[in-house]
Structures are given as structure tokens and as C-alpha cells.
């Protein structure tokens, strides 16, 4: 009887200790502050619009949206863009954003974006409306490079050896790995 009581106390102690450890790991990572910056570039060449629909437009429009996605502010944002044709006109919001244009080159900088705040940049380039006008695009901030929103297709979560992947295109979760065992092959 004493042996059974000691075993039960030991098992309960291990379970309480494990729950405390898991709670500690969860609170550590759930309260971590992360700065993340994403961008999206849209132009008429992305939509395969027939040239007959575009014959009345004199210049190629480009829309760029930069969004702060983290849970802390993003600092020292720098965007460099090289276009194929000359940049003739631009509009940016918020208005305090510094923009410098020299022919086909554009540089944009701002000191800080708060979480979920955006920079919207609209350009008009001379040249073909149905061709891609962007030759080079770089976006960076104090903690790394910006990510293209179109390139984000999967979210992967890891917790104590359990890897869960969420496919944003199919809107279905998959369990990929439990510890060292891989459950499904990558497509």
C-alpha cells in the first residue's frame, strides 16, 4: 500500500512539473515581441489584361503596399526599387514618408511603422502597360528583410516535437511530424 501511494505521488509530481514546464515555455514564446514586414506589389501585367483594354492608359500603374505584421513596431524601413522605364509620377501615404526618385530608381525610407500600419505607394511608369515594370525590388528593416505576401503559403508550428503545418491555399491543417517520425511526404 505504501508503494502504491509513493508511485501515485511521483506520477502526480511529474505531471504537475511537466504542465508547469509547458506553461513556462508557452508564456515565454507567446509574449515574445517580433517585428515582421510584408509587401505586396500589383501591376497590370499580373492580371493578363488584353492590350485592347489598356490602349487608353498613357502610363503603367504600379501599387505597392508595405504592412507591419509583427506584435512590435518595425523600425528603419528602407525600400529600393529599380524600374525598367522612367518613373513619371508617384503618390505615397502616410505623407511623412521620404521618397527619392532618380529616373528609373526609387528609394523610400521611414523611421517606424506600428503593428498593422501600412505604407501605400502608387507609381506611374512610362513604357508598356502589359509588361512587368519592376526590374529589382528590395525591402528591409532593422530586424531583417521584408517578405512577399504572395510567397507565404504555409504556416508551421512546432511544440514539443509536434509539427503542425497549415496550408493557406487549401485551408486545411496537416500533422507532419511527431518527434523524429515524418507522417506525410512533402508535395
Amino acid at each position: 500500500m505504501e508503494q502504491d501511494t509513493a508511485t501515485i505521488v511521483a506520477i502526480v509530481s511529474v505531471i504537475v512539473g511537466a504542465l508547469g514546464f509547458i506553461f513556462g515555455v508557452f508564456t515565454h514564446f507567446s509574449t515574445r515581441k517580433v517585428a515582421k514586414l510584408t509587401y505586396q506589389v500589383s501591376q497590370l501585367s499580373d492580371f493578363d489584361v488584353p492590350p485592347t483594354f489598356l490602349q487608353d492608359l498613357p502610363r503603367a500603374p504600379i501599387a505597392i503596399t508595405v504592412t507591419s505584421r509583427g506584435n512590435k513596431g518595425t523600425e528603419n524601413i528602407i525600400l529600393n526599387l529599380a524600374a525598367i522605364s522612367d518613373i513619371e509620377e508617384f503618390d505615397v501615404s502616410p505623407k511623412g514618408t521620404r521618397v527619392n526618385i532618380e529616373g528609373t530608381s526609387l528609394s523610400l525610407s521611414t523611421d517606424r511603422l506600428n503593428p498593422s500600419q501600412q505604407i501605400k505607394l502608387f507609381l506611374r511608369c512610362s513604357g508598356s502597360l502589359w509588361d512587368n515594370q519592376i526590374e529589382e525590388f528590395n525591402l528591409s528593416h532593422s530586424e531583417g528583410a521584408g517578405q512577399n505576401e504572395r510567397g507565404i503559403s504555409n504556416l508551421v508550428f512546432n511544440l514539443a516535437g509536434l509539427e503542425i503545418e497549415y496550408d493557406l491555399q487549401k485551408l486545411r491543417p496537416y500533422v507532419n511530424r511527431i518527434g523524429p517520425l515524418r507522417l506525410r511526404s512533402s508535395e
Side-chain angles (χ1 to χ4, degrees):
M1 186 73 164
E2 271 183 40
Q3 183 78 9
D4 292 340
T5 305
T7 304
I8 291 173
V9 169
I11 291 172
V12 169
S13 298
V14 167
I15 290 173
V16 169
L19 289 175
F21 176 75
I22 291 171
F23 180 73
V25 168
F26 171 76
T27 56
H28 172 75
F29 287 108
S30 68
T31 59
R32 192 174 76 163
K33 299 289 185 184
V34 177
K36 183 178 177 186
L37 198 62
T38 62
Y39 66 90
Q40 185 173 11
V41 179
S42 297
Q43 32 185 339
L44 289 176
S45 64
D46 297 338
F47 301 105
D48 293 330
V49 178
T52 56
F53 281 64
L54 304 174
Q55 63 191 4
D56 296 334
L57 291 175
R59 293 171 282 205
I62 300 171
I64 300 170
T65 305
V66 176
T67 308
S68 177
R69 299 268 184 209
N71 58 0
K72 79 173 189 178
T74 309
E75 297 179 347
N76 301 326
I77 299 158
I78 299 171
L79 183 147
N80 291 312
L81 179 135
I84 293 174
S85 305
D86 285 340
I87 299 171
E88 296 182 349
E89 188 179 354
F90 77 93
D91 185 30
V92 66
S93 70
K95 294 296 181 191
T97 307
R98 296 176 297 278
V99 178
N100 184 23
I101 295 179
E102 294 178 13
T104 61
S105 300
L106 176 134
S107 63
L108 176 143
S109 64
T110 188
D111 296 330
R112 180 177 173 85
L113 279 180
N114 292 324
S116 76
Q117 201 173 20
Q118 292 183 334
I119 297 173
K120 293 189 178 190
L121 177 65
F122 302 98
L123 305 171
R124 286 191 185 147
C125 296
S126 62
S128 174
L129 298 171
W130 44 87
D131 291 338
N132 182 4
Q133 291 295 318
I134 297 178
E135 186 173 24
E136 186 177 323
F137 185 90
N138 294 316
L139 177 66
S140 64
H141 58 100
S142 61
E143 295 186 24
Q147 294 180 333
N148 188 349
E149 287 187 11
R150 292 183 183 169
I152 301 171
S153 63
N154 294 344
L155 296 174
V156 178
F157 301 100
N158 290 310
L159 180 62
L162 181 66
E163 181 180 292
I164 299 174
E165 178 179 350
Y166 192 77
D167 187 350
L168 297 175
Q169 307 300 328
K170 298 177 185 174
L171 299 177
R172 291 180 44 186
Y174 298 100
V175 176
N176 286 339
R177 180 184 307 228
I178 298 176
L181 300 175
R182 188 145 194 80
L183 298 178
R184 81 178 176 95
S185 63
S186 56
E187 298 171 36

